[in-house]
Amino acid sequence: MSGNEPVDRQLPNISPEKATREPGQSGTASEPERSRWNVAMREILNGSAMISLLAVVLAIIIGGILIAVTDENVQATAGYFFSRPGDMIAAIWNSVSGAYVSLFQGSIYNFRRPGFANGIRPLMDTLTFATPLIVAGLGVALGFRAGLFNIGGRGQMLFGASAAGWVAFSFAGLPFPLHLIFAVVAGVIAGALWSGLAGLLKATTGANEVITTIMLNYVAYYFVYWMLSTQGLLQLPGSNNPKSPGMLPSAVLPPLFGQQYSLHWGFIIAILVTFFAWWLLNRSRLGFQFKAVGLNPDAARVAGINVPRMIVYVMLFSGAFVGLAGVFQVLGTVTTGFSAGIDAGIGFDAITVALLGRSKPWGVFAAAVLFGAFKAGGFAMQASQGISVDIVLVVQSVIVLLIAAPPLVRAVFRLPKPNLLSPLKSNKTQGKKAVVTK
Amino acid sequence: MKLELRGITKRFGALVANDHISVVVEPGEIHCLLGENGAGKSTLMNVLYGLYQADEGEILLDDKVQKFSGPGDAMAAGIGMVHQHFMLIPVFTVAENVMLGHEPTTFGDRLNVAKAREQVREISQRFGFDLDPDALVGDLPVGVQQRVEIIKALSRDAKVLVFDEPTAVLTPQETDELMLIMKQLKETGTSIVFITHKLREVREVADKITVIRLGKVVGEASPTASNEELASMMVGRAIELTIEKGKAKLGQPALVVDKLSVIDPIGQLVVNNISFDIKEGEIVAVAGVQGNGQTELVEAIMGLQSKVTGGITLNGRSLVGRSVREVLDAGVGFVPEDRNEDGLVSEFTIAENLMLDRSNGEPFVKHGTLQLATLAEFAEEKLTEFDIRAQGIGTHAGNLSGGNQQKVVLARELSRELKLLVAAQPTRGLDVGSVEFVHTRIVEARDSGVPVLVVSTELDEVVALADRIAVMYRGGIVGIVPGDTPRDVLGLMMAGEAPSGGKAA
Amino acid sequence: MSTSTLPSAAPITLERTIVKSWKGPIALSIFALLAIVLFGVFARPGVSHFRLSTTGDFFQLPQLDVPTTSTGWILAVILVILAAWSVLMVFQSRRVPLWLTIVFAIVFMAGFLTWVAADALIPIPGLLIGAVSLSVPLIFGAMSGVISERSGVINIAIEGQLLAGAFVSAVVASMTGSPWAGLVAAMVAGTLVSFALAAFAIKYIVDQIIVGVVLNVLVSGLTGFLFSQVLTNNPKFLNTPPRFDRIDIPVLGQIPIIGPVLFDQTVIVYFMYIVVAGVAYALFRTRWGLRTRAVGEHPQAADTVGIKVNLRRFWNVSLAGAIAGFGGAYFTLGSVGSFTKDMTAGAGFIALAAVIFGRWDPIRAMLAGLLFGFATNLQSVLGIIGSPVPSQFMLMLPYIVTIFAVAGLVGQSRAPAADGKPYIKS
């Protein structure tokens, strides 16, 4: 149901006259001027895939520049650039190509390893990193589509991980699939409830969810930290460290392609969840109502949709997805026990993933895999080339800024208007026209 | 000061909002720009005020060509504007609003509030306004806010004052007062441009009239011209505002509103103890100046207001305290006042908008899943039936013209089994063709036995549709009169005077 | 259906009932109740010791020893009286004044300290000095937020501005050997982050929250990358900034308790006083402030009187960035002494919380910043004497308070009407 982006809707809007103005007797009078060819060209040029690709390429170039500039050999050769420019160019080439080759080898395929089974391991790592990103990204994306900005991924993941982890290390004796399912469900519910709290606050008091979710992140962090450092709650018995016991084998997500790869069944769950999210947003009644609330809450209310209830539902779903990312972290990625840093920044990465994926489920999936590759490759790059993994953050944020940049943004973004910081309908004439839709 | 607009052309993409418009306003003259909604009057004034840049043409003041890159330039040149939507900041005081943009300051950029207050008082006295410079604008009634706008313009020594649809929000009495103020201003030598589509006002104050239609000047007229002449110039053909309407075949009273009161979220009693009923097959129109409780009355019926006392019953079932969903399910069709705000999701397709208030179940939803095939079929059918001009059912509602948008809303509401139709401002901002279409559909609904509640601030629409007319003033009903009540009586009622006959029809 | 008991229709006027807000009194009553339970019912026996001066102070005050239980009861009763007073005020349709809330908070804090300090010693000057120290970047960040949001641009990027300021000031001060140069460089760095925010938010109309969030990630990545790649290779040259010395202001610095806390500080803290006072004055008393608020409330109205909305927003956001950058320099030039990765650790978000809790008002935002700094420092002091409350719960306090604030349970916080909404004209 995505539909095209037919007309640039950025009409000047100071006087309401134009909105209601009829150019001729028929509403389509101005349409023929936009020829099919024109529309097709616009679609290609404004096409989301094109822009994303360009953004990624540009960001990688910028990353390359940063790597070159901070490289010691490049700096050394720059001193005598005018006498022997070749040295510096060679040094730049060495540093940048070395970095990106190791990024590739760390994320997709390593030709230097013997055999396919070994060579493909980086791709498995990439998918492992992508798994929690996919579900967390879907959670944030779902919020976007409903006009809600869930920045609370960290808190929701922490609660999801804690609940799943507690179930997973506690109930010894439960048989394998049952224990696992129990743990996953517990984590999902915990994430949903923590996020639902922000939804409830917004629905009942109008508290802006951007602020409450940010604040709830910190509350969750300290709360989980406290649980992790308290005996009898989450702390490993007899330990002084704020860390939980390891997960029982009966609650761990089994490896997908055998023990030699890190990839676990969570990836399959993530694919299923992506399907579910697609169905939810594009084929379900709830999704229809979510989108209506996101795009025009006033019209949704007049159409008999219970807007506050939808806000709570959206946040519950969003938090459930994000909570699942926390579950994957403790039952898939790190099964030896977790600390308060178990979210690993995924809650924030999820925002960039959702933006890059334009809040469409399969777009989010692809974006998460890309960012998973950056992560896997980034660590490999750090190990082999000594280039700080922080460069990945730079590249990621530059990508998002670029795809957000106009004149592409209005056509590109699938974002409904985030009705921020003004739960009331105040000043809505400005608000409405000035908000980036889609 | 003499103002001349010469060949002003302004385009928005393919749309020509102003097409070589030329107007001359002599010093001390009240010059009316008359035209329908959407004729391009406001665009022209925004060009004059520097908010838009004209694509062609020039602006002359006292025969000197002006170049305005923003409102600041226009103001400096002596042009003042009283905007249709007041450009006032509610959380600022009167003095702060008046001084904004040309603040008197003392040492170190410090505001000289005392001086601003003095200025407000001085201008208020000149026109006999009673204004507290320290009152918050948000707390003032609409009519008083307009005076703040006027003072704002005058405090900048405006020599040419533009009034953009100033009477839309005023009662007839306040309108009369405004007319007096305009005449007063004219005597002090101020040139006035008065933009309106209301003929009566034009004939009362104008020295000269320029009629604009579809972005072009179609002619000039003198204030002595008849209403019919002016109207036909404005609309382009002899207008028939009365549509063919047979005699109402009245059934049982269906909607009964009994001693209804509504308190809005900021604690104002906006609907005050009103009672009326609508019978099957009858159109009752609620007339009144905007902001006299009509909106809240409709919202109360639809379940959109929370503090409601009194009774609303439809065929014996109470609607008070019900959710919007329950009201819709009770068979109430609703055409909201502002279709863009409340009636449509502009980023949704036509098809999606057609199921907007029916997303709760069959036929468009089964087992929580959308029935897209059913929806597509339904949408295609309605596209033809309601003559919605669009490329297809996948066109986004936001890309339709106002008339077609309203048809989508009507199509959605009228294709349900209705027990009551509530239409608020159903033709606001529509072209004449669409107005006729909408009116015809509403009368058809009535003739099929549905009780219809129409709310309109346009007297023409009220007179055209109503079998009975209820006039609202400050939250109460002044009186309920037959549909053929003369306009002057209705006008007085809109100002709060009970009809001389004094009894309900 | 039901009979209406509303006033008769005779004079048809819009009546306005005054909406009384009971949220304030309710909140105070809850805290008063909490005080009774905590200080009274769960009273701890013993004597609470408070040290009121440090050894270097001009006036030496004796140590204050109070009996824990009875003091707790007395303070609890005072709190109940204050809460009752606020109820009375609302009952009479008056507003609960700010000072009442502040007095309430101070008394509550005193009671709490008395309670936790049973048979232990709390060094009051140390507690307060630490609190001010932790508050400094919060308050600078909050001022940045106030200016930016009053102009209508949501500033989620405070964190990034602080971090950029901290990084650049460390590097520049180390290289030049002058903390002043570092300070100026920090302002430039903060401004640059703001330029990005302003460019994307105002010119390109990208959602302001998205830009803010992404900019925080970008700054974190950039500074982290440069720190690992460059700074760690040559820490002596690049990451050993000279620090500002404390300046003891004569006379003022000798006031007991307050003196060492407020007037024996580094120059950055003195700048902070000036900035807060300046912002408060400028926002409400000057032409700049009037226009800034106009642009944040109703940009179209501002435009029609000739104010260049987007230009003004652009420069105000830039100014906000400079102020936040200045605050970031405090991390490296005032307190820590060198840059470390992500050293701002969420201070920008607490600053944002202070903006909201302070209702977009500079003075209130400063008070909120002080409160949050105090809460943070209190937990570390309590950690030393062994607190009955887990330290994590103290650390949560700013965030929980903010959630209550945005939910309207503590005061009513109303953002500028056009906050977060770009202004587009033809």
Side-chain angles (χ1 to χ4, degrees):
Chain A
M1 321 236 306
S2 58
N4 308 340
E5 192 54 46
V7 191
D8 189 353
R9 226 173 285 121
Q10 210 221 344
L11 278 173
N13 237 324
I14 285 191
S15 108
E17 212 167 322
K18 272 167 309 310
T20 54
R21 193 187 152 79
E22 295 239 344
Q25 70 238 59
S26 128
T28 51
S30 63
E31 299 290 313
E33 298 191 15
R34 247 171 295 248
S35 71
R36 267 164 200 279
W37 169 247
N38 224 326
V39 172
M41 276 308 289
R42 283 171 62 109
E43 273 304 302
I44 293 169
L45 289 177
N46 284 351
S48 45
M50 183 78 172
I51 290 152
S52 308
L53 191 72
L54 285 175
V56 171
V57 169
L58 260 175
I60 286 176
I61 291 172
I62 290 173
I65 293 171
L66 266 179
I67 290 169
V69 168
T70 55
D71 186 88
E72 287 186 337
N73 285 331
V74 176
Q75 285 166 1
T77 50
Y80 54 92
F81 176 76
F82 289 106
S83 50
R84 276 156 57 199
D87 279 14
M88 182 171 159
I89 292 165
I92 291 176
W93 171 252
N94 283 338
S95 67
V96 176
S97 69
Y100 284 133
V101 165
S102 70
L103 184 77
F104 178 84
Q105 286 179 342
S107 62
I108 299 177
Y109 195 89
N110 192 341
F111 292 100
R112 285 186 297 191
R113 289 198 189 142
F116 180 77
N118 277 317
I120 200 69
R121 177 167 295 153
L123 183 64
M124 295 295 146
D125 292 340
T126 289
L127 296 181
T128 311
F129 278 114
T131 302
L133 279 177
I134 294 168
V135 286
L138 288 173
V140 176
L142 183 72
F144 278 151
R145 295 296 289 271
L148 295 171
F149 203 147
N150 179 4
I151 309 191
R154 187 185 184 195
Q156 291 144 27
M157 278 186 71
L158 283 171
F159 268 95
S162 300
W166 177 72
V167 171
F169 69 67
S170 299
F171 297 84
L174 273 178
F176 158 64
L178 201 67
H179 195 185
L180 174 64
I181 292 168
F182 187 16
V184 170
V185 170
V188 167
I189 290 175
L193 291 180
W194 191 247
S195 164
L197 186 59
L200 199 65
L201 281 169
K202 175 156 184 136
T204 53
T205 69
N208 180 260
E209 81 284 358
V210 172
I211 306 301
T212 52
T213 51
I214 289 175
M215 300 304 148
L216 284 172
N217 279 343
Y218 289 97
V219 176
Y221 174 79
Y222 289 119
F223 193 78
V224 168
Y225 192 92
W226 171 71
M227 289 196 292
L228 281 167
S229 43
T230 306
Q231 286 289 331
L233 292 174
L234 292 178
Q235 197 174 35
L236 176 67
S239 163
N240 269 330
N241 294 331
K243 199 181 169 200
S244 81
M247 305 300 124
L248 294 168
S250 53
V252 167
L253 287 159
L256 190 57
F257 297 117
Q259 291 293 350
Q260 81 250 43
Y261 300 124
S262 54
L263 191 62
H264 51 82
W265 272 86
F267 185 64
I268 301 297
I269 299 178
I271 292 175
L272 295 177
V273 168
T274 313
F275 264 115
F276 173 72
W278 174 85
W279 175 84
L280 184 69
L281 276 173
N282 298 315
R283 290 291 180 272
S284 79
R285 173 182 100 182
L286 216 49
F288 181 84
Q289 297 183 338
F290 286 175
K291 285 186 290 182
V293 169
L295 292 165
N296 188 344
D298 298 324
R301 177 163 168 261
V302 171
I305 296 170
N306 189 331
V307 176
R309 190 182 294 167
M310 285 304 136
I311 287 171
V312 176
Y313 285 174
V314 170
M315 288 307 279
L316 284 173
F317 271 102
S318 178
F321 286 153
V322 181
L324 188 59
V327 174
F328 289 160
Q329 283 295 94
V330 291
L331 304 184
T333 318
V334 189
T335 56
T336 53
F338 60 94
S339 66
I342 188 69
D343 61 290
I346 290 167
F348 280 98
D349 289 345
I351 297 167
T352 42
V353 164
L355 291 171
L356 181 59
R358 267 173 218 81
S359 303
K360 291 181 192 167
W362 291 107
V364 169
F365 187 91
V369 171
L370 178 72
F371 279 19
F374 278 145
K375 267 198 178 179
F379 284 115
M381 197 164 74
Q382 186 165 22
S384 70
Q385 303 287 311
I387 292 168
S388 166
V389 73
D390 289 312
I391 191 75
V392 169
L393 287 183
V394 177
V395 172
Q396 282 179 4
S397 43
V398 170
I399 289 176
V400 174
L401 279 183
L402 285 176
I403 59 167
L408 317 170
V409 61
R410 277 174 296 278
V412 167
F413 266 27
R414 292 244 130 230
L415 286 179
K417 55 174 180 185
N419 223 343
L420 295 164
L421 292 182
S422 64
L424 302 168
K425 282 164 79 171
S426 59
N427 220 347
K428 60 184 166 184
T429 33
Q430 266 104 359
K432 202 130 211 180
K433 75 180 90 139
V435 155
V436 181
T437 45
K438 304 222 158 176
Chain B
M1 197 182 272
K2 181 184 166 192
L3 166 73
E4 186 175 356
L5 298 170
R6 210 179 268 170
I8 300 287
T9 299
K10 175 73 188 168
R11 298 184 195 90
F12 297 107
L15 193 150
V16 185
N18 290 160
D19 190 358
H20 296 94
I21 292 186
S22 297
V23 178
V24 181
V25 184
E26 299 291 342
E29 170 183 273
I30 299 183
H31 194 120
C32 275
L33 285 184
L34 187 66
E36 271 197 295
N37 286 328
K41 298 167 301 200
S42 289
T43 306
L44 184 68
M45 286 307 111
N46 283 333
V47 168
L48 170 63
Y49 199 56
L51 283 164
Y52 295 158
Q53 310 304 318
D55 298 314
E56 284 171 44
E58 49 197 13
I59 299 164
L60 294 91
L61 284 173
D62 283 341
D63 299 319
K64 280 192 277 295
V65 176
Q66 306 289 323
K67 185 94 188 72
F68 299 152
S69 60
D73 296 346
M75 277 180 326
I79 296 174
M81 190 137 168
V82 175
H83 297 267
Q84 188 177 1
H85 304 281
F86 303 148
M87 291 299 158
L88 298 171
I89 296 164
V91 295
F92 280 14
T93 65
V94 172
E96 284 175 327
N97 267 296
V98 168
M99 71 166 138
L100 184 67
H102 68 143
E103 304 85 348
T105 52
T106 56
F107 174 72
D109 207 35
R110 189 185 166 92
L111 294 171
N112 190 343
V113 184
K115 200 169 166 191
R117 267 190 213 115
E118 199 38 56
Q119 197 174 21
V120 172
R121 283 206 195 93
E122 189 261 313
I123 302 174
S124 302
Q125 268 167 14
R126 222 191 305 157
F127 291 93
F129 300 164
D130 182 25
L131 259 183
D132 174 10
D134 292 319
L136 283 183
V137 164
D139 294 341
L140 299 175
V142 176
V144 180
Q145 290 191 9
Q146 190 171 58
R147 292 177 179 186
V148 179
E149 277 272 83
I150 295 171
I151 290 177
K152 216 171 112 180
L154 293 178
S155 73
R156 290 169 165 76
D157 299 321
K159 299 285 189 294
V160 178
L161 207 49
V162 180
F163 288 84
D164 187 1
E165 299 274 5
T167 59
V169 288
L170 301 183
T171 63
Q173 269 173 333
E174 285 174 322
T175 305
D176 290 345
E177 283 171 25
L178 178 69
M179 300 286 154
L180 279 178
I181 295 167
M182 281 187 179
K183 285 176 184 162
Q184 238 178 310
L185 284 165
K186 171 185 151 180
E187 264 145 44
T188 60
T190 313
S191 313
I192 292 177
V193 181
F194 177 26
I195 302 175
T196 186
H197 63 277
K198 293 183 183 166
L199 304 176
R200 201 172 350 105
E201 296 164 4
V202 171
R203 288 156 49 80
E204 193 177 326
V205 294
D207 296 316
K208 207 190 275 175
I209 302 168
T210 299
V211 184
I212 297 180
R213 185 172 75 233
L214 291 173
K216 290 190 185 116
V217 172
V218 290
E220 296 202 348
S222 81
T224 51
S226 71
N227 268 356
E228 286 68 30
E229 278 174 74
L230 290 174
S232 66
M233 275 176 88
M234 194 163 98
V235 185
R237 61 183 159 98
I239 40 164
E240 259 179 69
L241 282 168
T242 42
I243 56 157
E244 297 216 4
K245 193 176 80 169
K247 208 168 155 45
K249 291 186 274 295
L250 299 183
Q252 294 300 310
L255 179 78
V256 179
V257 173
D258 183 34
K259 293 184 187 132
L260 181 77
S261 292
V262 178
I263 295 173
D264 76 357
I266 56 167
Q268 296 187 110
L269 183 62
V270 282
V271 174
N272 189 353
N273 196 22
I274 67 173
S275 304
F276 65 92
D277 62 16
I278 307 179
K279 300 182 181 65
E280 288 169 355
E282 181 187 36
I283 298 177
V284 170
V286 173
V289 179
Q290 191 169 359
N292 277 290
Q294 305 98 312
T295 305
E296 289 81 4
L297 165 66
V298 167
E299 286 178 346
I301 294 173
M302 294 311 299
L304 290 160
Q305 283 283 352
S306 53
K307 285 184 186 160
V308 177
T309 53
I312 306 170
T313 50
L314 180 60
N315 301 328
R317 280 183 58 202
S318 172
L319 296 183
V320 175
R322 307 256 177 199
S323 69
V324 186
R325 184 71 262 158
E326 288 167 321
V327 174
L328 292 171
D329 287 344
V332 181
F334 181 38
V335 178
E337 189 175 308
D338 184 335
R339 60 185 162 271
N340 281 307
E341 284 290 334
D342 298 327
L344 295 165
V345 177
S346 52
E347 294 87 349
F348 270 3
T349 64
I350 292 176
E352 286 170 318
N353 273 298
L354 282 172
M355 68 165 281
L356 190 63
D357 63 3
R358 304 173 78 180
S359 63
N360 57 321
E362 305 234 13
F364 301 125
V365 175
K366 272 181 201 159
H367 314 296
T369 310
L370 303 183
Q371 302 300 308
L372 293 184
T374 317
L375 176 62
E377 200 180 314
F378 172 79
E380 293 287 0
E381 193 183 299
K382 293 298 157 192
L383 213 62
T384 327
E385 185 188 336
F386 282 81
D387 190 28
I388 300 165
R389 311 265 176 93
Q391 282 167 334
I393 58 166
T395 305
H396 289 239
N399 295 329
L400 298 176
S401 68
N404 283 306
Q405 287 180 337
Q406 193 71 325
K407 286 177 188 172
V408 173
V409 175
L410 270 182
R412 178 177 72 212
E413 298 306 316
L414 291 178
S415 54
R416 284 187 289 141
E417 186 85 4
L418 290 188
K419 298 281 193 313
L420 171 70
L421 176 64
V422 179
Q425 315 290 359
T427 60
R428 180 175 282 179
L430 301 191
D431 62 307
V432 176
S434 300
V435 171
E436 274 182 6
F437 184 90
V438 171
H439 283 178
T440 310
R441 286 291 176 164
I442 289 175
V443 172
E444 273 174 26
R446 163 197 111 155
D447 290 342
S448 69
V450 175
V452 180
L453 177 66
V454 171
V455 174
S456 180
T457 50
E458 297 290 328
L459 217 44
D460 292 335
E461 179 163 75
V462 169
V463 171
L465 289 175
D467 297 316
R468 278 190 299 155
I469 301 169
V471 181
M472 280 188 82
Y473 178 71
R474 295 214 180 165
I477 286 187
V478 182
I480 301 176
V481 292
D484 55 4
T485 306
R487 282 166 189 247
D488 50 345
V489 175
L490 292 173
L492 282 174
M493 290 172 73
M494 284 163 76
E497 276 180 44
S500 48
K503 63 176 173 60
Chain C
M1 210 195 113
S2 68
T3 50
S4 165
T5 52
L6 282 151
S8 79
I12 307 175
T13 47
L14 285 186
E15 285 165 39
R16 194 163 192 161
T17 53
I18 292 165
V19 186
K20 290 181 184 176
S21 173
W22 287 99
K23 286 169 178 168
I26 288 172
L28 293 191
S29 304
I30 290 172
F31 276 102
L33 198 69
L34 187 72
I36 294 172
V37 171
L38 212 58
F39 314 154
V41 180
F42 290 98
R44 288 150 53 103
V47 179
S48 305
H49 308 281
F50 296 103
R51 194 162 65 212
L52 298 181
S53 50
T54 54
T55 46
D57 282 5
F58 188 79
F59 292 107
Q60 286 294 324
L61 296 180
Q63 181 171 312
L64 184 67
D65 301 317
V66 293
T68 307
T69 314
S70 51
T71 312
W73 269 114
I74 291 167
L75 292 175
V77 169
I78 294 176
L79 289 174
V80 171
I81 292 170
L82 286 172
W85 192 3
S86 76
V87 171
L88 188 73
M89 289 187 114
V90 173
F91 198 72
Q92 296 172 341
S93 301
R94 283 190 293 165
R95 292 181 135 220
V96 181
L98 177 65
W99 65 263
L100 186 84
T101 317
I102 294 176
V103 169
F104 187 94
I106 291 173
V107 174
F108 186 88
M109 233 38 247
F112 182 74
L113 287 177
T114 309
W115 182 69
V116 294
D119 288 335
L121 173 76
I122 290 186
I124 294 294
L127 179 66
L128 294 179
I129 289 171
V132 169
S133 175
L134 286 169
S135 306
V136 172
L138 303 183
I139 292 172
F140 274 108
M143 292 307 117
S144 167
V146 167
I147 292 178
S148 180
E149 302 209 0
R150 281 281 186 175
S151 333
V153 178
I154 295 175
N155 193 354
I156 301 270
I158 300 173
E159 177 82 0
Q161 291 161 346
L162 288 174
L163 192 60
F167 177 83
V168 171
S169 65
V171 173
V172 171
S174 305
M175 286 168 67
T176 60
S178 156
W180 291 98
L183 213 49
V184 173
M187 289 170 70
V188 173
T191 310
L192 286 178
V193 176
S194 267
F195 276 167
L197 173 66
F200 278 96
I202 297 169
K203 187 155 193 308
Y204 295 138
I205 320 168
V206 183
D207 183 274
Q208 295 170 1
I209 291 174
I210 290 173
V211 183
V213 169
V214 175
L215 278 179
N216 287 338
V217 177
L218 180 65
V219 174
S220 162
L222 262 181
T223 55
F225 176 75
L226 292 172
F227 174 74
S228 329
Q229 295 302 115
V230 183
L231 263 53
T232 44
N233 292 339
N234 196 348
K236 207 159 179 107
F237 177 57
L238 291 174
N239 198 7
T240 323
R243 286 164 64 178
F244 281 110
D245 295 323
R246 286 170 183 276
I247 303 168
D248 189 355
I249 294 184
V251 186
L252 289 176
Q254 286 150 10
I255 302 171
I257 306 181
I258 297 174
V261 172
L262 297 180
F263 301 109
D264 184 12
Q265 293 279 12
T266 63
V267 68
I268 297 182
V269 177
Y270 299 132
F271 268 118
M272 180 183 85
Y273 302 150
I274 296 170
V275 167
V276 173
V279 172
Y281 172 81
L283 208 48
F284 298 111
R285 293 276 178 274
T286 69
R287 176 167 61 182
W288 173 83
L290 188 75
R291 293 185 171 190
T292 295
R293 286 183 289 134
V295 157
E297 288 287 344
H298 195 336
Q300 216 176 337
D303 192 4
T304 55
V305 292
I307 297 170
K308 302 245 182 310
V309 174
N310 285 335
L311 198 68
R312 178 160 290 265
R313 283 184 171 182
F314 187 91
W315 288 115
N316 280 356
V317 172
S318 304
L319 173 67
I323 291 175
F326 201 104
Y330 185 76
F331 284 100
T332 45
L333 306 180
S335 56
V336 179
S338 65
F339 181 82
T340 51
K341 243 180 100 166
D342 288 329
M343 72 186 305
T344 48
F349 290 111
I350 305 190
L352 184 67
V355 173
I356 295 161
F357 191 47
R359 303 185 206 174
W360 291 267
D361 174 283
I363 301 293
R364 285 169 190 262
M366 178 195 70
L367 292 174
L370 282 173
L371 175 72
F372 294 166
F374 182 80
T376 313
N377 196 45
L378 184 59
Q379 68 82 25
S380 53
V381 170
L382 295 187
I384 299 164
I385 63 166
S387 144
V389 182
S391 64
Q392 285 84 10
F393 288 91
M394 298 300 300
L395 289 168
M396 273 182 218
L397 197 70
Y399 307 105
I400 291 178
V401 166
T402 306
I403 292 170
F404 276 106
V406 288
L409 301 176
V410 182
Q412 196 61 260
S413 74
R414 191 191 82 80
D419 198 8
K421 290 169 186 160
Y423 181 62
I424 308 165
K425 54 188 285 185
S426 62

